[in-house]
Amino acid sequence: MLQVVFTEFNDNSIKKFERIDFVEAVKQTMILEQKYREEKKMISGSFYLIESENDSTALYTGTFKFGSRYAPNLYIHIKKKLEEIKMNRQQQRDRIELIAKMEDGLPEIYKKEEVIENAHLLNLNVSRISRLKKWQRRSIYALTGLLGLGLIGTIFYMVMIVAQYDVAYSKEQNKVAAQNKQLDIYEQGLLGKHDVLLDYFKATKTNLSDEEKKIYANLLLKDKKYKELVSLYNNDSGYIATMISKQGDINALRAFHKDFPSNESTFDLLYADKKYKELLAVKDVDMTVKRSEMKTYALMKTGKIEEANAELANNNNKDLKAKITQYEKLSKELKEFNEAIKVAKDSKKAKEVKALSKKKTDLEKQFNAI
């Protein structure tokens, strides 16, 4: 679940340094944006976006300028800012993933972008015109006259195009019919007729939205149509492997890897098979947070504690941190037991060797279970 924390904001409506559920934050920012628009004021609010499961990693950091009319709410603000940034392929994937997370559970009313005509004139203070110089006032009045003539021209144009009403109406009817057909296809798909939906997606795959693409990919994955799935994402088998891994279906990943191997699927399968040394030898892997956790664990299990702690900084997993601490503790205790057993053997103290060996076995069970 996404949460928002405002760090700098001089308005008591939103408390600073307090976690707010993302949907509630979007709702509150929409109310405040409207308030400052009506008051013709602007105020800035710095914030960062996090996941409740991950306490320290900011998914997005920014500043919302309330009253600026840049965006009606926090969701639209972040989405527009992300779309303005030039990104590489990996960053584009991260952007799509973040937008999907934001849209999860967000009511449709908050997803609608607004169109503000003549936005540059909205903050015009008419009373200031009277204080302008004579030539400046004349310029404004002349411009007003031109706008009036433009309006007359627009009306004349509207009269002229009325004759084309039948053509426009016919086009709208065709558009509505196409939309109804699309809705019917989706309805059949939801009722279990996946072939109908698959045929539709296959015929229109070059014009699919990101959400439609995800639905299509899941259907292809379910039917094990891996060739079509890879083709859908421009033969990026590593990306598909990541998609399957996120779903947690290791059998599906094995089946996909058989025909479309990649560094990503190799890495994930080695982790599933507990082949940690081989896993660490795999290079050029798309390192997601989940894979960073896998790498941290593999480093720990192979005794590379210093490297495991360094990798831990990339995922901030508290459970892994606790495991590394326990691993170090038990590793030290096992070493001490080995030394004690050696001393007991040298002293030919059979009973003591037996007792120490039993304790060591119990400790090894705990060690191996980490």
Side-chain angles (χ1 to χ4, degrees):
M1 180 184 292
L2 294 179
Q3 295 181 326
V4 178
V5 178
F6 276 87
T7 56
E8 293 181 20
F9 186 38
N10 295 323
D11 190 302
N12 295 328
S13 301
I14 297 179
K15 293 182 179 179
K16 292 188 291 184
F17 302 105
E18 186 174 287
R19 293 187 175 202
I20 310 168
D21 286 344
F22 182 71
V23 175
E24 179 61 25
V26 172
K27 179 182 176 182
Q28 290 297 324
T29 53
M30 193 165 188
I31 293 170
L32 286 173
E33 171 64 15
Q34 187 59 38
K35 171 191 170 185
Y36 283 106
R37 286 185 186 184
E38 292 172 358
E39 294 177 359
K40 296 190 184 308
K41 294 180 181 178
M42 279 200 294
I43 183 171
S44 297
S46 298
F47 67 92
Y48 61 88
L49 186 67
I50 57 174
E51 281 190 279
S52 56
E53 299 86 0
N54 193 335
D55 294 335
S56 57
T57 303
L59 300 179
Y60 180 89
T61 302
T63 300
F64 192 115
K65 292 187 178 180
F66 294 92
S68 66
R69 299 177 184 271
Y70 176 77
N73 59 55
L74 191 65
Y75 163 74
I76 300 296
H77 171 90
I78 296 174
K79 187 179 178 185
K80 286 177 71 174
K81 287 290 184 184
L82 289 173
E83 289 170 350
E84 290 171 2
I85 301 170
K86 188 176 181 180
M87 298 181 174
N88 59 34
R89 190 175 67 174
Q90 177 57 43
Q91 290 170 330
Q92 287 173 349
R93 292 176 186 168
D94 294 339
R95 177 181 65 188
I96 292 169
E97 187 175 340
L98 178 56
I99 291 173
K101 284 181 180 179
M102 291 195 296
E103 290 181 346
D104 185 25
L106 186 67
E108 289 297 323
I109 188 173
Y110 299 123
K111 298 178 186 178
K112 295 179 180 177
E113 295 193 27
E114 59 183 354
V115 178
I116 302 176
E117 295 182 2
N118 299 322
H120 60 289
L121 300 176
L122 288 171
N123 294 318
L124 178 65
N125 188 344
V126 179
S127 64
R128 292 176 60 191
I129 294 176
S130 61
R131 296 198 294 271
L132 299 177
K133 294 179 181 179
K134 186 175 180 180
W135 70 269
Q136 291 173 322
R137 291 201 303 272
R138 282 179 177 176
S139 297
I140 291 174
Y141 296 147
L143 179 60
T144 304
L146 287 172
L147 290 172
L149 289 172
L151 179 61
I152 293 171
T154 301
I155 294 171
F156 178 74
Y157 174 73
M158 291 296 290
V159 171
M160 291 294 292
I161 65 169
V162 166
Q164 302 175 19
Y165 173 77
D166 289 339
V167 176
Y169 180 72
S170 177
K171 286 182 178 179
E172 285 301 312
Q173 277 190 318
N174 292 336
K175 186 178 178 180
V176 171
Q179 288 175 339
N180 286 336
K181 182 180 179 181
Q182 187 179 17
L183 288 171
D184 182 59
I185 289 169
Y186 274 106
E187 185 178 357
Q188 289 184 61
L190 290 170
L191 291 173
K193 297 180 180 178
H194 294 162
D195 290 341
V196 176
L197 201 53
L198 279 168
D199 290 342
Y200 166 73
F201 284 140
K202 188 174 182 180
T204 58
K205 65 180 180 180
T206 55
N207 297 313
L208 295 177
S209 66
D210 290 336
E211 287 303 315
E212 286 177 322
K213 207 171 183 180
K214 286 179 184 177
I215 296 170
Y216 185 28
N218 283 321
L219 289 172
L220 291 172
L221 186 60
K222 186 176 181 181
D223 290 350
K224 298 181 180 179
K225 296 182 178 180
Y226 301 133
K227 188 175 181 179
E228 293 177 45
L229 182 58
V230 171
S231 175
L232 181 65
Y233 285 95
N234 300 317
N235 298 317
D236 190 348
S237 55
Y239 181 71
I240 307 301
T242 301
M243 183 191 301
I244 299 171
S245 290
K246 284 182 179 179
Q247 295 179 356
D249 191 341
I250 198 68
N251 291 326
L253 184 62
R254 289 189 194 282
F256 176 76
H257 178 78
K258 186 177 179 181
D259 294 323
F260 299 96
S262 66
N263 290 347
E264 286 73 18
S265 57
T266 299
F267 185 96
D268 294 349
L269 290 172
L270 286 170
Y271 182 82
D273 295 336
K274 300 182 179 180
K275 295 180 179 179
Y276 304 120
K277 188 176 180 180
E278 292 90 332
L279 176 151
L280 294 172
V282 181
K283 306 297 181 183
D284 299 323
V285 178
D286 183 9
M287 194 57 64
T288 62
V289 173
K290 183 179 178 181
R291 290 199 180 105
S292 175
E293 292 170 348
M294 292 178 183
K295 185 177 180 181
T296 303
Y297 187 79
L299 287 165
M300 182 197 75
K301 292 295 282 186
T302 52
K304 299 178 180 179
I305 302 302
E306 190 175 335
E307 292 179 50
N309 279 316
E311 183 62 34
L312 190 64
N314 295 323
N315 56 69
N316 298 305
N317 188 301
K318 291 181 178 179
D319 290 337
L320 276 173
K321 187 175 182 180
K323 284 182 178 181
I324 291 172
T325 301
Q326 187 183 14
Y327 185 97
E328 286 184 285
K329 177 178 175 292
L330 293 178
S331 182
K332 184 180 178 182
E333 289 178 8
L334 282 170
K335 186 178 179 181
E336 291 171 353
F337 266 106
N338 285 331
E339 291 173 356
I341 290 170
K342 185 178 182 301
V343 171
K345 282 182 177 179
D346 291 342
S347 302
K348 297 182 180 180
K349 297 178 181 179
K351 288 185 178 180
E352 189 176 337
V353 170
K354 186 177 180 181
L356 287 170
S357 297
K358 186 179 182 303
K359 289 181 180 180
K360 179 190 171 185
T361 300
D362 293 337
L363 203 62
E364 283 176 333
K365 287 180 181 178
Q366 295 179 47
F367 183 76
N368 293 327
I370 299 173

